[in-house]
Amino acid sequence: MYDHILIPTDGSIETEQAVSHGLGLARTYDATVHALYVTDESEFSAVTDASAHEQLRSAAEKLGDERPPTSPRRPPSSI
């Protein structure tokens, strides 16, 4: 039924159930998982100094690169 499943996450606790559900579907249908980690850059919109904005963006990217892949902490539940 599914060949590819996109699982977007922002790393928050609220997205854990969606990630678990997506991984469960992938296991069930032997689908390839594509993970997308998203961030909200609007919180940086008040930064007017281009240098400071670039430093914040670089730091956010570095944190994203260092974050281990999300894995379910419990078996996926039926939804």
Side-chain angles (χ1 to χ4, degrees):
M1 179 176 214
Y2 299 108
D3 294 323
H4 300 272
I5 297 176
L6 174 64
I7 303 176
T9 181
D10 62 1
S12 67
I13 292 172
E14 293 82 8
T15 61
E16 285 185 19
Q17 185 176 7
V19 170
S20 293
H21 183 67
L23 292 174
L25 286 172
R27 280 188 210 100
T28 299
Y29 296 106
D30 195 29
T32 301
V33 171
H34 301 273
L36 174 65
Y37 184 80
V38 295
T39 59
D40 180 6
E41 292 185 8
S42 66
E43 62 188 66
F44 302 126
S45 63
V47 177
T48 56
D49 179 5
S51 170
H53 185 74
E54 185 54 38
Q55 288 176 348
L56 288 170
R57 178 187 290 276
S58 177
E61 288 175 355
K62 183 178 179 184
L63 286 172
D65 290 342
E66 292 175 359
R67 185 180 179 99
T70 303
S71 60
R73 294 189 180 107
R74 57 194 173 281
S77 61
S78 300
I79 295 180

